[in-house]
Amino acid sequence: SGVAAAPVTAYFTGSVTSIDDPFNALSAYQVGDTVRGSYTYDSGTPDTDPDPGHGHYFKSQLSTSAFSLEVGGLTTIHDPDLQMEVYNDWPTFNDLFSIGASFPASSPCLGGVTILTLKDTTQTAHSSDALPTGPPVLSNYNIHRGFMAVFCDLTATESRLNFEITSTSAMAIPTVNTGGLAALARRA
């Protein structure tokens, strides 16, 4: 493609909307907690899917990548690897921008994943399946959500924290506290 490679960093904020916590793995968090985070990627990363309506960008192809998430003032995830997908005029997903990052185990849990999803059901947000060259414009999407899922056993059952993304920016948003992955181990 003719896209010049350039690192892109986007910052986002939001608010926790619900928590389903059968394993008591997310007891440090509450509905209404502020969510802050950022992600970085190389906009020149090659698309691994030849379909012109679906761009898939794996960790191994992202020469520059990072992801961080802070919930309620506690840094819960700091992952140097991420996976990204861009759908353009896709029948099921419409225009969708999705970012996924995993995080390691923290006793008693096995680890987890965070997914950010920006979706435009009018199919006007994207003109291709290429990675954006800057932070997404939130007003171009009518659905903007994220979740953090923690897996504490070998079944598909998870503890899950859902949040609404309320802003995106190219400028850093100050953080409050960096409690590290230990935040997942904290219990009320």
Side-chain angles (χ1 to χ4, degrees):
S1 76
V3 177
V8 173
T9 298
Y11 300 87
F12 60 91
T13 61
S15 179
V16 175
T17 56
S18 66
I19 300 172
D20 182 21
D21 193 12
F23 296 107
N24 200 30
L26 301 171
S27 62
Y29 310 107
Q30 299 176 24
V31 170
D33 278 351
T34 299
V35 174
R36 298 172 192 254
S38 67
Y39 54 90
T40 300
Y41 61 90
D42 185 330
S43 65
T45 301
D47 181 357
T48 61
D49 187 341
D51 189 310
H54 178 230
H56 204 170
Y57 305 90
F58 285 105
K59 295 177 187 183
S60 59
Q61 278 89 23
L62 292 162
S63 61
T64 302
S65 69
F67 183 90
S68 66
L69 179 70
E70 177 187 290
V71 180
L74 302 171
T75 300
T76 52
I77 300 170
H78 185 77
D79 187 1
D81 294 320
L82 55 102
Q83 177 175 309
M84 304 175 79
E85 291 186 85
V86 179
Y87 290 88
N88 181 50
D89 298 339
W90 197 261
T92 308
F93 296 111
N94 305 130
D95 283 4
L96 182 103
F97 179 56
S98 177
I99 302 164
S102 59
F103 54 93
S106 177
S107 182
C109 296
L110 305 172
V113 64
T114 292
I115 306 287
L116 304 180
T117 301
L118 301 177
K119 183 175 182 178
D120 170 34
T121 57
T122 68
Q123 299 184 345
T124 59
H126 301 158
S127 59
S128 76
D129 68 349
L131 284 171
T133 57
V137 177
L138 202 58
S139 61
N140 290 345
Y141 302 89
N142 53 356
I143 298 170
H144 18 83
R145 297 184 185 132
F147 71 85
M148 177 173 64
V150 180
F151 304 98
C152 297
D153 65 13
L154 297 177
T155 69
T157 306
E158 65 190 24
S159 285
R160 184 175 174 132
L161 179 148
N162 297 296
F163 57 91
E164 183 76 15
I165 300 167
T166 56
S167 70
T168 57
S169 172
M171 298 183 59
I173 302 161
T175 58
V176 178
N177 177 23
T178 55
L181 287 173
L184 287 176
R186 291 189 187 141
R187 302 290 186 264

